[in-house]
Structures are given as C-alpha cells and as structure tokens.
Amino acid sequence: MQDRLPARPHLAALVCILVLGLPAQHASAQAENKIGFVDTARILRDATPAVRAQKKIEAEFSKRDQEMARIAEQLKRQQDELEKQGDTMTESQRRTKEREFGEMNRDFQRRQREFREDLNQRRNEELAQVVEQANRVIRQIAELEKFDIIFQDAVYANPRIDIPERVIKALDAAKPAAK
C-alpha cells in the first residue's frame, strides 16, 4: 500500500491549499458584483405615469364602453321578449324577430371585438411609453449606483436586490411627458 501514496507530499498540500482557497476567491469576486431586480408589473401598476396612462385610456374609451353596455342590455331585453312572447307570435313574426336578434347579436359581437382590439392597442401604446421611461430611469439608477446588472421580471428575486421603489419614486418625480 505504501507504494501507491504520492511521492511528492508538497504537491498534495499545494492542491489542498488551492481547492480550499477557491471558495474564498469566489466569494470575494461575488461581493464585487452588484445585482438588482425590477418588477415591471409593479411599476406598471403603481407608478404615477402608469396610473395616469390608465386613467387616460379609461376616459378615452368610457363612451364606447357605455355604448357597448347599452347594446348588451338591449340584446338581453330582446332575447327575453323572444322567450316570453315567442309562443304567442305567428311563425313569420317569430322568424323576423329571431333574424333581427341574430343580426343585432352579430353586430354586437363584431363591435365588441373591435372595441377590445382598439382598447388593447391603445393600452399597449400607453404602457410602452411608461416602460420606455422606466427603462431610462433604471439605466440611470444602474449607472449612478454602479450596478453590474439589473434584471426585469424574474421568477424569484431576493427582496434585498429589489429596486422598484427607487424606480417608482424617480418616475413619480419626473414631469409628465407633453404631447
């Protein structure tokens, strides 16, 4: 058994020192990196420019939303009327009412789809501007506070690296963009 032991004990000691010293070097290199995290959904929910954009969209689409609600109510009344009086109507009256209801329902479906598409497009446009502003602020914070990297939208982030409060505060302090 003695024949199998390394002939150079100093080499084994050197390897042990290197292996044991690596975690210390890794920890010191890791301490030099500054990492941050930003929850974009939180910024889009809580920052003043995002809230302002949401209110703008609501105001812009409130009239159409009310119109859609009025048409939906009218369709409901027409359907109830058909169900209640369908048995007492003549065959041709019932077919005419059903056809009118079908046309009105198709028109409503089309208008509802257009409304959702328009609403989503406007929301995306407004929120894209907020995200653009937030990204500028994040870059400024990263440069000012010497972050090595800032992640957006992670599955998990330790609260100590979470910086959306600083981003929201900077966005809230910024003047609204003129249009």
PDB file of all heavy atoms in Angstrom, residues 96-117:
ATOM      1  N   THR A  96     -88.914  36.661 -38.010  1.00  0.00           N
ATOM      2  CA  THR A  96     -88.448  38.044 -38.210  1.00  0.00           C
ATOM      3  C   THR A  96     -87.720  38.536 -36.956  1.00  0.00           C
ATOM      4  O   THR A  96     -86.624  39.101 -37.053  1.00  0.00           O
ATOM      5  CB  THR A  96     -89.636  38.982 -38.540  1.00  0.00           C
ATOM      6  OG1 THR A  96     -90.298  38.503 -39.688  1.00  0.00           O
ATOM      7  CG2 THR A  96     -89.157  40.397 -38.775  1.00  0.00           C
ATOM      8  N   LYS A  97     -88.317  38.310 -35.784  1.00  0.00           N
ATOM      9  CA  LYS A  97     -87.691  38.746 -34.518  1.00  0.00           C
ATOM     10  C   LYS A  97     -86.371  38.000 -34.277  1.00  0.00           C
ATOM     11  O   LYS A  97     -85.391  38.591 -33.849  1.00  0.00           O
ATOM     12  CB  LYS A  97     -88.634  38.498 -33.329  1.00  0.00           C
ATOM     13  CG  LYS A  97     -89.812  39.417 -33.274  1.00  0.00           C
ATOM     14  CD  LYS A  97     -89.385  40.751 -32.730  1.00  0.00           C
ATOM     15  CE  LYS A  97     -90.610  41.616 -32.503  1.00  0.00           C
ATOM     16  NZ  LYS A  97     -90.270  42.975 -32.153  1.00  0.00           N
ATOM     17  N   GLU A  98     -86.337  36.708 -34.573  1.00  0.00           N
ATOM     18  CA  GLU A  98     -85.114  35.925 -34.402  1.00  0.00           C
ATOM     19  C   GLU A  98     -84.023  36.409 -35.344  1.00  0.00           C
ATOM     20  O   GLU A  98     -82.854  36.492 -34.966  1.00  0.00           O
ATOM     21  CB  GLU A  98     -85.396  34.435 -34.629  1.00  0.00           C
ATOM     22  CG  GLU A  98     -86.152  33.794 -33.497  1.00  0.00           C
ATOM     23  CD  GLU A  98     -86.572  32.365 -33.795  1.00  0.00           C
ATOM     24  OE1 GLU A  98     -86.486  31.916 -34.982  1.00  0.00           O
ATOM     25  OE2 GLU A  98     -87.013  31.692 -32.848  1.00  0.00           O
ATOM     26  N   ARG A  99     -84.415  36.734 -36.584  1.00  0.00           N
ATOM     27  CA  ARG A  99     -83.453  37.239 -37.563  1.00  0.00           C
ATOM     28  C   ARG A  99     -82.902  38.595 -37.099  1.00  0.00           C
ATOM     29  O   ARG A  99     -81.700  38.826 -37.150  1.00  0.00           O
ATOM     30  CB  ARG A  99     -84.100  37.347 -38.947  1.00  0.00           C
ATOM     31  CG  ARG A  99     -83.100  37.671 -40.044  1.00  0.00           C
ATOM     32  CD  ARG A  99     -83.683  37.639 -41.455  1.00  0.00           C
ATOM     33  NE  ARG A  99     -84.961  38.332 -41.586  1.00  0.00           N
ATOM     34  CZ  ARG A  99     -86.145  37.742 -41.787  1.00  0.00           C
ATOM     35  NH1 ARG A  99     -86.222  36.423 -41.868  1.00  0.00           N
ATOM     36  NH2 ARG A  99     -87.243  38.452 -41.907  1.00  0.00           N
ATOM     37  N   GLU A 100     -83.790  39.485 -36.641  1.00  0.00           N
ATOM     38  CA  GLU A 100     -83.358  40.797 -36.120  1.00  0.00           C
ATOM     39  C   GLU A 100     -82.414  40.618 -34.934  1.00  0.00           C
ATOM     40  O   GLU A 100     -81.379  41.285 -34.851  1.00  0.00           O
ATOM     41  CB  GLU A 100     -84.575  41.625 -35.688  1.00  0.00           C
ATOM     42  CG  GLU A 100     -85.405  42.164 -36.819  1.00  0.00           C
ATOM     43  CD  GLU A 100     -86.698  42.822 -36.335  1.00  0.00           C
ATOM     44  OE1 GLU A 100     -86.932  42.890 -35.098  1.00  0.00           O
ATOM     45  OE2 GLU A 100     -87.482  43.266 -37.193  1.00  0.00           O
ATOM     46  N   PHE A 101     -82.781  39.693 -34.049  1.00  0.00           N
ATOM     47  CA  PHE A 101     -81.931  39.428 -32.882  1.00  0.00           C
ATOM     48  C   PHE A 101     -80.567  38.890 -33.322  1.00  0.00           C
ATOM     49  O   PHE A 101     -79.532  39.332 -32.826  1.00  0.00           O
ATOM     50  CB  PHE A 101     -82.616  38.423 -31.935  1.00  0.00           C
ATOM     51  CG  PHE A 101     -81.745  38.032 -30.775  1.00  0.00           C
ATOM     52  CD1 PHE A 101     -81.584  38.884 -29.686  1.00  0.00           C
ATOM     53  CD2 PHE A 101     -81.073  36.819 -30.772  1.00  0.00           C
ATOM     54  CE1 PHE A 101     -80.770  38.529 -28.625  1.00  0.00           C
ATOM     55  CE2 PHE A 101     -80.257  36.460 -29.708  1.00  0.00           C
ATOM     56  CZ  PHE A 101     -80.109  37.318 -28.628  1.00  0.00           C
ATOM     57  N   GLY A 102     -80.548  37.968 -34.274  1.00  0.00           N
ATOM     58  CA  GLY A 102     -79.298  37.393 -34.774  1.00  0.00           C
ATOM     59  C   GLY A 102     -78.398  38.450 -35.403  1.00  0.00           C
ATOM     60  O   GLY A 102     -77.184  38.473 -35.159  1.00  0.00           O
ATOM     61  N   GLU A 103     -78.998  39.329 -36.218  1.00  0.00           N
ATOM     62  CA  GLU A 103     -78.221  40.394 -36.857  1.00  0.00           C
ATOM     63  C   GLU A 103     -77.653  41.352 -35.816  1.00  0.00           C
ATOM     64  O   GLU A 103     -76.486  41.751 -35.899  1.00  0.00           O
ATOM     65  CB  GLU A 103     -79.099  41.154 -37.861  1.00  0.00           C
ATOM     66  CG  GLU A 103     -79.422  40.367 -39.111  1.00  0.00           C
ATOM     67  CD  GLU A 103     -80.465  41.060 -39.993  1.00  0.00           C
ATOM     68  OE1 GLU A 103     -80.826  42.237 -39.717  1.00  0.00           O
ATOM     69  OE2 GLU A 103     -80.919  40.423 -40.965  1.00  0.00           O
ATOM     70  N   MET A 104     -78.510  41.714 -34.857  1.00  0.00           N
ATOM     71  CA  MET A 104     -78.066  42.628 -33.806  1.00  0.00           C
ATOM     72  C   MET A 104     -76.957  41.981 -32.961  1.00  0.00           C
ATOM     73  O   MET A 104     -75.982  42.639 -32.603  1.00  0.00           O
ATOM     74  CB  MET A 104     -79.242  43.021 -32.921  1.00  0.00           C
ATOM     75  CG  MET A 104     -78.922  44.073 -31.896  1.00  0.00           C
ATOM     76  SD  MET A 104     -80.388  44.425 -30.919  1.00  0.00           S
ATOM     77  CE  MET A 104     -80.358  46.194 -30.958  1.00  0.00           C
ATOM     78  N   ASN A 105     -77.108  40.704 -32.691  1.00  0.00           N
ATOM     79  CA  ASN A 105     -76.104  39.988 -31.898  1.00  0.00           C
ATOM     80  C   ASN A 105     -74.778  39.903 -32.647  1.00  0.00           C
ATOM     81  O   ASN A 105     -73.716  40.122 -32.058  1.00  0.00           O
ATOM     82  CB  ASN A 105     -76.620  38.593 -31.538  1.00  0.00           C
ATOM     83  CG  ASN A 105     -75.767  37.920 -30.497  1.00  0.00           C
ATOM     84  OD1 ASN A 105     -75.182  38.564 -29.627  1.00  0.00           O
ATOM     85  ND2 ASN A 105     -75.687  36.610 -30.584  1.00  0.00           N
ATOM     86  N   ARG A 106     -74.813  39.599 -33.947  1.00  0.00           N
ATOM     87  CA  ARG A 106     -73.577  39.557 -34.749  1.00  0.00           C
ATOM     88  C   ARG A 106     -72.905  40.925 -34.788  1.00  0.00           C
ATOM     89  O   ARG A 106     -71.690  41.037 -34.649  1.00  0.00           O
ATOM     90  CB  ARG A 106     -73.878  39.058 -36.165  1.00  0.00           C
ATOM     91  CG  ARG A 106     -73.966  37.551 -36.286  1.00  0.00           C
ATOM     92  CD  ARG A 106     -74.023  37.093 -37.738  1.00  0.00           C
ATOM     93  NE  ARG A 106     -75.170  37.615 -38.476  1.00  0.00           N
ATOM     94  CZ  ARG A 106     -76.414  37.143 -38.395  1.00  0.00           C
ATOM     95  NH1 ARG A 106     -76.674  36.129 -37.602  1.00  0.00           N
ATOM     96  NH2 ARG A 106     -77.390  37.668 -39.113  1.00  0.00           N
ATOM     97  N   ASP A 107     -73.711  41.968 -34.974  1.00  0.00           N
ATOM     98  CA  ASP A 107     -73.172  43.331 -34.991  1.00  0.00           C
ATOM     99  C   ASP A 107     -72.531  43.661 -33.645  1.00  0.00           C
ATOM    100  O   ASP A 107     -71.434  44.242 -33.591  1.00  0.00           O
ATOM    101  CB  ASP A 107     -74.281  44.336 -35.314  1.00  0.00           C
ATOM    102  CG  ASP A 107     -73.755  45.759 -35.414  1.00  0.00           C
ATOM    103  OD1 ASP A 107     -72.797  45.975 -36.207  1.00  0.00           O
ATOM    104  OD2 ASP A 107     -74.278  46.650 -34.709  1.00  0.00           O
ATOM    105  N   PHE A 108     -73.199  43.259 -32.571  1.00  0.00           N
ATOM    106  CA  PHE A 108     -72.663  43.499 -31.228  1.00  0.00           C
ATOM    107  C   PHE A 108     -71.336  42.762 -31.034  1.00  0.00           C
ATOM    108  O   PHE A 108     -70.373  43.334 -30.513  1.00  0.00           O
ATOM    109  CB  PHE A 108     -73.682  43.065 -30.171  1.00  0.00           C
ATOM    110  CG  PHE A 108     -73.162  43.149 -28.771  1.00  0.00           C
ATOM    111  CD1 PHE A 108     -72.965  44.382 -28.153  1.00  0.00           C
ATOM    112  CD2 PHE A 108     -72.846  42.005 -28.059  1.00  0.00           C
ATOM    113  CE1 PHE A 108     -72.482  44.469 -26.861  1.00  0.00           C
ATOM    114  CE2 PHE A 108     -72.364  42.080 -26.772  1.00  0.00           C
ATOM    115  CZ  PHE A 108     -72.179  43.315 -26.169  1.00  0.00           C
ATOM    116  N   GLN A 109     -71.288  41.510 -31.446  1.00  0.00           N
ATOM    117  CA  GLN A 109     -70.053  40.703 -31.321  1.00  0.00           C
ATOM    118  C   GLN A 109     -68.902  41.366 -32.079  1.00  0.00           C
ATOM    119  O   GLN A 109     -67.780  41.454 -31.572  1.00  0.00           O
ATOM    120  CB  GLN A 109     -70.284  39.283 -31.863  1.00  0.00           C
ATOM    121  CG  GLN A 109     -71.381  38.512 -31.188  1.00  0.00           C
ATOM    122  CD  GLN A 109     -70.957  37.926 -29.868  1.00  0.00           C
ATOM    123  OE1 GLN A 109     -69.788  37.672 -29.661  1.00  0.00           O
ATOM    124  NE2 GLN A 109     -71.911  37.719 -28.983  1.00  0.00           N
ATOM    125  N   ARG A 110     -69.206  41.833 -33.304  1.00  0.00           N
ATOM    126  CA  ARG A 110     -68.170  42.490 -34.120  1.00  0.00           C
ATOM    127  C   ARG A 110     -67.687  43.767 -33.440  1.00  0.00           C
ATOM    128  O   ARG A 110     -66.481  44.002 -33.315  1.00  0.00           O
ATOM    129  CB  ARG A 110     -68.724  42.805 -35.515  1.00  0.00           C
ATOM    130  CG  ARG A 110     -67.742  43.512 -36.442  1.00  0.00           C
ATOM    131  CD  ARG A 110     -68.404  43.977 -37.738  1.00  0.00           C
ATOM    132  NE  ARG A 110     -69.606  44.773 -37.559  1.00  0.00           N
ATOM    133  CZ  ARG A 110     -69.600  46.073 -37.221  1.00  0.00           C
ATOM    134  NH1 ARG A 110     -68.463  46.709 -37.018  1.00  0.00           N
ATOM    135  NH2 ARG A 110     -70.741  46.743 -37.087  1.00  0.00           N
ATOM    136  N   ARG A 111     -68.627  44.584 -32.974  1.00  0.00           N
ATOM    137  CA  ARG A 111     -68.263  45.837 -32.313  1.00  0.00           C
ATOM    138  C   ARG A 111     -67.502  45.590 -31.016  1.00  0.00           C
ATOM    139  O   ARG A 111     -66.574  46.334 -30.681  1.00  0.00           O
ATOM    140  CB  ARG A 111     -69.523  46.669 -32.048  1.00  0.00           C
ATOM    141  CG  ARG A 111     -70.128  47.212 -33.331  1.00  0.00           C
ATOM    142  CD  ARG A 111     -71.427  47.910 -33.115  1.00  0.00           C
ATOM    143  NE  ARG A 111     -71.205  49.215 -32.485  1.00  0.00           N
ATOM    144  CZ  ARG A 111     -72.157  50.072 -32.226  1.00  0.00           C
ATOM    145  NH1 ARG A 111     -73.411  49.793 -32.504  1.00  0.00           N
ATOM    146  NH2 ARG A 111     -71.873  51.235 -31.675  1.00  0.00           N
ATOM    147  N   GLN A 112     -67.893  44.547 -30.299  1.00  0.00           N
ATOM    148  CA  GLN A 112     -67.204  44.199 -29.055  1.00  0.00           C
ATOM    149  C   GLN A 112     -65.760  43.775 -29.346  1.00  0.00           C
ATOM    150  O   GLN A 112     -64.826  44.173 -28.639  1.00  0.00           O
ATOM    151  CB  GLN A 112     -67.968  43.086 -28.347  1.00  0.00           C
ATOM    152  CG  GLN A 112     -67.575  42.880 -26.912  1.00  0.00           C
ATOM    153  CD  GLN A 112     -68.485  41.879 -26.231  1.00  0.00           C
ATOM    154  OE1 GLN A 112     -68.883  40.873 -26.843  1.00  0.00           O
ATOM    155  NE2 GLN A 112     -68.812  42.130 -24.986  1.00  0.00           N
ATOM    156  N   ARG A 113     -65.575  42.988 -30.392  1.00  0.00           N
ATOM    157  CA  ARG A 113     -64.228  42.543 -30.787  1.00  0.00           C
ATOM    158  C   ARG A 113     -63.374  43.752 -31.193  1.00  0.00           C
ATOM    159  O   ARG A 113     -62.221  43.876 -30.771  1.00  0.00           O
ATOM    160  CB  ARG A 113     -64.357  41.539 -31.945  1.00  0.00           C
ATOM    161  CG  ARG A 113     -63.126  40.770 -32.264  1.00  0.00           C
ATOM    162  CD  ARG A 113     -63.354  39.665 -33.308  1.00  0.00           C
ATOM    163  NE  ARG A 113     -64.231  40.023 -34.417  1.00  0.00           N
ATOM    164  CZ  ARG A 113     -65.490  39.598 -34.561  1.00  0.00           C
ATOM    165  NH1 ARG A 113     -66.041  38.801 -33.674  1.00  0.00           N
ATOM    166  NH2 ARG A 113     -66.217  39.973 -35.615  1.00  0.00           N
ATOM    167  N   GLU A 114     -63.936  44.666 -31.980  1.00  0.00           N
ATOM    168  CA  GLU A 114     -63.217  45.876 -32.385  1.00  0.00           C
ATOM    169  C   GLU A 114     -62.867  46.735 -31.173  1.00  0.00           C
ATOM    170  O   GLU A 114     -61.759  47.285 -31.086  1.00  0.00           O
ATOM    171  CB  GLU A 114     -64.059  46.688 -33.373  1.00  0.00           C
ATOM    172  CG  GLU A 114     -64.187  46.065 -34.733  1.00  0.00           C
ATOM    173  CD  GLU A 114     -65.204  46.789 -35.623  1.00  0.00           C
ATOM    174  OE1 GLU A 114     -65.855  47.757 -35.165  1.00  0.00           O
ATOM    175  OE2 GLU A 114     -65.351  46.370 -36.791  1.00  0.00           O
ATOM    176  N   PHE A 115     -63.818  46.840 -30.245  1.00  0.00           N
ATOM    177  CA  PHE A 115     -63.578  47.613 -29.022  1.00  0.00           C
ATOM    178  C   PHE A 115     -62.399  47.037 -28.248  1.00  0.00           C
ATOM    179  O   PHE A 115     -61.489  47.769 -27.838  1.00  0.00           O
ATOM    180  CB  PHE A 115     -64.854  47.611 -28.159  1.00  0.00           C
ATOM    181  CG  PHE A 115     -64.680  48.273 -26.819  1.00  0.00           C
ATOM    182  CD1 PHE A 115     -64.656  49.651 -26.704  1.00  0.00           C
ATOM    183  CD2 PHE A 115     -64.550  47.514 -25.664  1.00  0.00           C
ATOM    184  CE1 PHE A 115     -64.512  50.270 -25.471  1.00  0.00           C
ATOM    185  CE2 PHE A 115     -64.395  48.124 -24.436  1.00  0.00           C
ATOM    186  CZ  PHE A 115     -64.380  49.496 -24.335  1.00  0.00           C
ATOM    187  N   ARG A 116     -62.385  45.725 -28.051  1.00  0.00           N
ATOM    188  CA  ARG A 116     -61.282  45.080 -27.309  1.00  0.00           C
ATOM    189  C   ARG A 116     -59.954  45.274 -28.025  1.00  0.00           C
ATOM    190  O   ARG A 116     -58.930  45.551 -27.388  1.00  0.00           O
ATOM    191  CB  ARG A 116     -61.565  43.590 -27.128  1.00  0.00           C
ATOM    192  CG  ARG A 116     -62.494  43.273 -25.981  1.00  0.00           C
ATOM    193  CD  ARG A 116     -62.477  41.790 -25.638  1.00  0.00           C
ATOM    194  NE  ARG A 116     -62.748  40.930 -26.779  1.00  0.00           N
ATOM    195  CZ  ARG A 116     -63.938  40.469 -27.114  1.00  0.00           C
ATOM    196  NH1 ARG A 116     -64.983  40.766 -26.391  1.00  0.00           N
ATOM    197  NH2 ARG A 116     -64.074  39.689 -28.167  1.00  0.00           N
ATOM    198  N   GLU A 117     -59.961  45.131 -29.352  1.00  0.00           N
ATOM    199  CA  GLU A 117     -58.722  45.309 -30.122  1.00  0.00           C
ATOM    200  C   GLU A 117     -58.204  46.742 -30.003  1.00  0.00           C
ATOM    201  O   GLU A 117     -57.007  46.952 -29.780  1.00  0.00           O
ATOM    202  CB  GLU A 117     -58.955  44.953 -31.587  1.00  0.00           C
ATOM    203  CG  GLU A 117     -59.134  43.481 -31.837  1.00  0.00           C
ATOM    204  CD  GLU A 117     -59.591  43.153 -33.253  1.00  0.00           C
ATOM    205  OE1 GLU A 117     -59.753  44.083 -34.079  1.00  0.00           O
ATOM    206  OE2 GLU A 117     -59.798  41.959 -33.529  1.00  0.00           O
TER     207      GLU A 117
END
